Amino acid sequence: MAVSIDLTDQERSLRQLLLDVSKYIGEKTKYTEPVLRFTGGWVRDKLLDLTSKDIDVGISSMTGYNFGLCMKEFLVDSSVQTRYDQNVLGGLAKIAANPEKSKHLETVTTKILDLEIDLVNLRKETYLEDSRNPTMEFGSPEEDALRRDATVNALFYNLSTCQVEDFTGKGLDDMAKRIIRTPLAPYQTFKDDPLRILRCIRFASKLGYRIEPEAEQVMSDTRIKHALRAKISRERIGIEIEKMLKGPKPYTALGMIDRLGLYNTIFTDPKCQQNILANTDRWAQACDLLLGIIESSSESKQVADFTSSVKNLLLTDRESVFWAWILCALVPWARTEVPNPKKTSTRNMLPYASLVTREGLKTENRITNVVENAVMHLNEIIAHKNAFTDREVQTSMGQKRKPETLKREDIGMAIKRWGAQWRSSAVFALLVEAAESNLDQVPELTTQYALWLENIQKLDLGNAYSLKPLVNGNQLAAALGVKSGPWTKRALEIAMEWQFRNPEAILPEGGIAEVLERKGELGLP
């Protein structure tokens, strides 16, 4: 049965423009008039009634770059300018063939009618044993469909016939059955390009589909895991993971990674010489808890209220939720130290979890810094939470004691140390403790964090990290009659403690007086 797609006004205008260009090419240039198709994700999303602003245009008989040049010629022609807005073409950017970036043939990315358009010829691929970068050449629609990662991504929309084309013979049926299936045999598909493993996981989690059993079995194959490590750049892995964690169902994606035994293949430091493996036995408890917090769900209304409180205090926007999932993904590495660190190496000054993000996922520095802060402050945050909830805390001497209730200045100074991302660090601490606890202890643990956080809010210390000091070093040096020196840092801390203790203060005199009174703590004569 023929399947069609309802186009928006923009899409109809784009279709007509491209068909006009195709006709112009056949009549006015040396090229044969190409057959044009919208391909891949746009077709899938339209069939699912999802909005898509990105369209790949498959061209039958010429490169995307040459098609783009002909399009420019067509639009410059005075006889057609009246039919189209003169600014309809956003600008053509040639992407030369570059195997390192997986751009093997000349393509064009441009913006037309507020739609992001990729122009690329239909192609077939031949892979070498040790590379995911294939030898590519012009191919038929069937060959182009079969080279794709999943049948649901291999559907085409023919601009001439206005019909959906399913050259794998399985794409439409798999959409109906909500299945992710590889067009060719899974082993060959993943061996040729192991990145397709992550893409299949991402699409399955995003769409709420299940991965076909044979494909799942191959994903867990040791040889395929090795190929994923050996053939795929860590940048590409990081991009796929980021898309998963920013997608609609990061919980599902991480669950698939765990169930398929892919954690230590994906979340790893490739530069580490030792074969270090993370223990993921209880990682699911952290993932379950984070999902419960985000959805504010629990079988117990009281616990649900506390999870809602944690969400409202820690997960305040989309970025904080994304960071929470990044940190959740790294919970199994929370306690892992860099093996045989060299003091002269900047690299080995980072926690191992930070190296996983920096080297294994090639994330931006900001994310690596969030992870580093979370790991560095993990034990102190847990100790502060324990102090508030009056739990026993193990001292550095191995003894256990009941900690004293922390004062306002203690909490304020701690948050100032933890910095602007302290909320993300607190999320990490909660998730780490959840993974280290028995399952029946997690609700009580969540309650403790909620009460601790509510106390911080009650004391108006959520933004303590940004509090501007009333007292500066020059004022203290003048009051003490000495030059600035090693004593200054501690003196400024004493002044800041006083400021947290006296939140109504607006003048520095009280802080200076506090430093003079505690001069003995500064080691000054």
Side-chain angles (χ1 to χ4, degrees):
M1 182 177 69
V3 178
S4 59
I5 288 177
D6 292 330
L7 303 182
T8 64
D9 290 342
Q10 284 177 313
E11 292 163 347
R12 278 193 291 270
S13 297
L14 174 64
R15 170 185 170 272
Q16 190 57 56
L17 169 63
L18 293 173
L19 288 175
D20 288 347
V21 173
S22 180
K23 183 178 180 181
Y24 167 81
I25 289 171
E27 294 177 349
K28 303 290 186 179
T29 74
K30 64 181 180 180
Y31 299 104
T32 302
E33 180 177 345
V35 178
L36 304 178
R37 295 172 171 87
F38 292 161
T39 67
W42 178 88
V43 183
R44 178 201 67 227
D45 288 346
K46 291 292 288 188
L47 291 173
L48 293 171
D49 291 326
L50 301 175
T51 300
S52 180
K53 290 287 188 179
D54 298 324
I55 303 179
D56 293 344
V57 181
I59 306 164
S60 65
S61 56
M62 60 193 302
T63 67
Y65 181 60
N66 287 328
F67 185 91
L69 292 180
C70 291
M71 181 185 290
K72 289 181 71 174
E73 293 174 4
F74 172 74
L75 291 172
V76 169
D77 191 313
S78 58
S79 65
V80 301
Q81 283 187 0
T82 56
R83 281 187 276 163
Y84 301 99
D85 187 321
Q86 292 187 22
N87 296 319
V88 72
L89 193 61
L92 298 172
K94 179 179 178 181
I95 306 176
N98 183 348
E100 294 303 316
K101 295 186 180 294
S102 300
K103 300 296 184 183
H104 312 290
L105 293 177
E106 292 179 322
T107 67
V108 160
T109 299
T110 188
K111 194 167 187 176
I112 304 174
L113 298 168
D114 202 33
L115 297 168
E116 298 292 337
I117 309 299
D118 280 343
L119 304 172
V120 61
N121 60 275
L122 298 178
R123 55 201 190 272
K124 63 179 178 180
E125 303 173 340
T126 303
Y127 285 87
L128 299 176
E129 180 68 20
D130 59 349
S131 174
R132 72 171 287 262
N133 298 315
T135 300
M136 305 187 79
E137 53 190 300
F138 284 96
S140 67
E142 293 87 349
E143 289 169 328
D144 193 274
L146 292 174
R147 72 175 180 82
R148 295 176 181 265
D149 47 25
T151 58
V152 298
N153 294 334
L155 298 169
F156 297 160
Y157 174 78
N158 189 305
L159 270 61
S160 298
T161 65
C162 296
Q163 298 296 314
V164 173
E165 299 171 329
D166 184 2
F167 289 105
T168 70
K170 300 176 182 177
L172 291 171
D173 187 52
D174 285 342
M175 284 196 70
K177 295 178 179 178
R178 304 176 67 82
I179 293 174
I180 294 295
R181 184 196 313 274
T182 57
L184 298 175
Y187 184 85
Q188 192 60 48
T189 296
F190 297 140
K191 185 74 164 30
D192 286 343
D193 184 357
L195 188 67
R196 290 167 176 160
I197 295 171
L198 300 186
R199 288 177 56 82
C200 286
I201 290 173
R202 175 162 64 87
F203 287 120
S205 63
K206 174 184 175 180
L207 301 173
Y209 287 15
R210 64 182 177 86
I211 299 174
E212 185 262 335
E214 184 184 355
E216 279 201 347
Q217 184 177 0
V218 172
M219 287 178 176
S220 300
D221 189 293
T222 301
R223 295 166 295 177
I224 296 300
K225 291 181 185 179
H226 175 75
L228 180 57
R229 280 178 175 266
K231 296 176 69 171
I232 305 302
S233 73
R234 301 312 297 191
E235 288 88 352
R236 293 299 305 161
I237 290 175
I239 289 171
E240 286 299 321
I241 293 299
E242 181 172 339
K243 287 180 179 179
M244 290 181 201
L245 300 186
K246 284 184 175 179
K249 297 179 181 177
Y251 171 85
T252 303
L254 293 180
M256 288 182 180
I257 288 172
D258 187 25
R259 179 168 54 81
L260 296 171
L262 292 167
Y263 184 88
N264 283 293
T265 301
I266 296 169
F267 297 101
T268 185
D269 173 15
K271 292 187 176 181
C272 182
Q273 300 300 313
Q274 289 83 354
N275 185 28
I276 302 176
L277 298 178
N279 186 337
T280 60
D281 288 349
R282 290 187 174 182
W283 179 39
Q285 293 181 189
C287 297
D288 291 346
L289 176 57
L290 180 55
L291 180 66
I293 291 171
I294 292 172
E295 296 183 347
S296 298
S297 61
S298 173
E299 294 180 1
S300 163
K301 182 182 183 303
Q302 183 179 23
V303 174
D305 290 340
F306 285 125
T307 58
S308 179
S309 180
V310 172
K311 175 184 177 180
N312 294 335
L313 294 172
L314 296 183
L315 304 178
T316 55
D317 53 31
R318 291 182 65 181
E319 184 175 59
S320 62
V321 172
F322 167 63
W323 285 345
W325 282 114
I326 281 281
L327 291 167
C328 182
L330 296 168
V331 162
W333 293 117
R335 305 290 188 181
T336 304
E337 298 181 357
V338 176
N340 304 320
K342 297 178 182 178
K343 294 182 179 180
T344 56
S345 171
T346 303
R347 160 188 158 79
N348 288 318
M349 294 174 65
L350 291 173
Y352 190 82
S354 297
L355 293 176
V356 171
T357 57
R358 192 182 77 174
E359 305 294 349
L361 302 178
K362 294 296 183 181
T363 59
E364 57 185 272
N365 289 337
R366 186 172 57 151
I367 294 177
T368 299
N369 291 339
V370 169
V371 174
E372 180 181 4
N373 286 337
V375 177
M376 297 282 284
H377 300 304
L378 173 61
N379 290 331
E380 187 180 7
I381 288 174
I382 292 174
H384 270 255
K385 181 269 302 179
N386 287 346
F388 177 76
T389 56
D390 198 31
R391 291 179 59 194
E392 287 187 339
V393 180
Q394 188 163 325
T395 68
S396 59
M397 300 299 292
Q399 301 171 328
K400 291 187 176 181
R401 63 176 176 81
K402 291 279 188 179
E404 298 177 0
T405 302
L406 294 174
K407 300 175 182 177
R408 187 179 193 276
E409 58 266 35
D410 297 323
I411 300 171
M413 292 298 289
I415 291 177
K416 201 163 183 66
R417 285 192 301 275
W418 302 339
Q421 302 304 329
W422 76 269
R423 291 178 176 86
S424 292
S425 298
V427 170
F428 185 63
L430 170 56
L431 298 178
V432 170
E433 283 208 86
E436 294 175 346
S437 302
N438 293 328
L439 184 59
D440 60 358
Q441 296 173 322
V442 174
E444 172 61 22
L445 180 68
T446 307
T447 300
Q448 293 171 0
Y449 272 87
L451 294 173
W452 173 63
L453 292 166
E454 288 170 359
N455 182 60
I456 291 174
Q457 184 183 46
K458 179 181 177 182
L459 295 173
D460 193 24
L461 288 172
N463 295 322
Y465 59 86
S466 62
L467 183 64
K468 185 177 179 180
L470 294 175
V471 181
N472 62 48
N474 291 334
Q475 292 169 324
L476 293 177
L480 291 166
V482 296
K483 292 182 179 181
S484 297
W487 60 271
T488 307
K489 179 181 178 182
R490 177 56 187 148
L492 289 172
E493 289 175 348
I494 292 172
M496 184 56 70
E497 290 170 2
W498 170 86
Q499 189 171 334
F500 278 123
R501 194 162 56 250
N502 299 275
E504 73 288 347
I506 58 174
L507 298 174
E509 282 75 15
I512 295 172
E514 177 83 2
V515 174
L516 292 175
E517 184 178 338
R518 296 168 62 181
K519 178 181 177 182
E521 298 178 30
L522 306 180
L524 293 173

